[in-house]
Amino acid sequence: MRQSRAVKLLVDMGGGLYKMRKVIFAVEAATTANGGFGFALLVAVLAVDGTTLTRRAMHWVEAKVEKFRAKQRRKRVPLGRSLSTLFSAGGRGAQQTLLTTVLPIGAVTALVWIAASSEWISGITDDSFLFLRAALLALFIWRAGALDELARIHVESMEMADQVCKFDQAMSKAKAS
């Protein structure tokens, strides 16, 4: 089952749908709590990638602490230089997080926020802004890697069809002779 492309495709598509629903929830929750867009963005980032970001931060801190301890064992390093290195590496990590997580989720949250603002009085329903939901679902499915998996399935099926065609041609030649 781990090798099944169809199962991987299904799981990736489900993951994309689940993350899209989390962004819509973040907008609904922020609206209900009378919060602004900033609050909706915070909730969306935490809901969609909060676990991943926390895990990355913990691994980063553990690696820096271990590196610091290794240097301490070898020789005494000035605290100022160690803190400078720590902040420099932290800045690169923050930049990567901002560009790969906060910015894309911020754009998606902004689109949902704008679309939902017209429906706040009557309430967001399952029929609200369907075109935007379909586009966002495609975005999250792509982000989860499902489209790559779908392309691999297509390539494999085309190779299989080519093999069947060659087999049929060989059988036709065998029957003719």
Side-chain angles (χ1 to χ4, degrees), residues 11 21 52 75-76 81 97 138 153:
V11 168
R21 183 63 192 121
T52 303
K75 64 177 183 172
R76 231 25 194 170
R81 195 167 76 180
T97 300
I153 290 171

Side-chain angles (χ1 to χ4, degrees), residues 1-18:
M1 201 144 133
R2 289 183 182 183
Q3 302 300 324
S4 172
R5 295 217 185 271
V7 170
K8 182 162 178 22
L9 176 66
L10 186 65
V11 168
D12 287 347
M13 290 181 78
L17 178 62
Y18 183 63

Side-chain angles (χ1 to χ4, degrees), residues 29-147:
T31 306
T32 304
N34 295 326
F37 173 73
F39 181 64
L41 177 59
L42 176 67
V43 173
V45 167
L46 291 176
V48 172
D49 280 339
T51 304
T52 303
L53 293 175
T54 303
R55 185 177 57 249
R56 283 183 189 165
M58 289 304 298
H59 289 307
W60 179 81
V61 168
E62 287 173 353
K64 293 300 172 189
V65 167
E66 183 57 38
K67 189 175 180 181
F68 179 76
R69 286 182 181 158
K71 283 184 180 181
Q72 289 286 11
R73 285 187 288 250
R74 284 183 285 181
K75 64 177 183 172
R76 231 25 194 170
V77 177
L79 181 62
R81 195 167 76 180
S82 295
L83 288 176
S84 172
T85 303
L86 187 69
F87 290 136
S88 174
R92 287 189 301 273
Q95 181 183 13
Q96 180 186 9
T97 300
L98 189 65
L99 292 175
T100 61
T101 301
V102 177
L103 224 55
I105 292 175
V108 169
T109 305
L111 289 172
V112 173
W113 183 268
I114 291 166
S117 64
S118 65
E119 303 195 21
W120 283 340
I121 296 169
S122 61
I124 298 172
T125 66
D126 289 340
D127 296 334
S128 300
F129 43 91
L130 288 176
F131 181 75
L132 177 62
R133 285 183 184 208
L136 292 177
L137 181 58
L139 173 75
F140 278 109
I141 286 173
W142 166 75
R143 188 174 180 230
L147 296 180

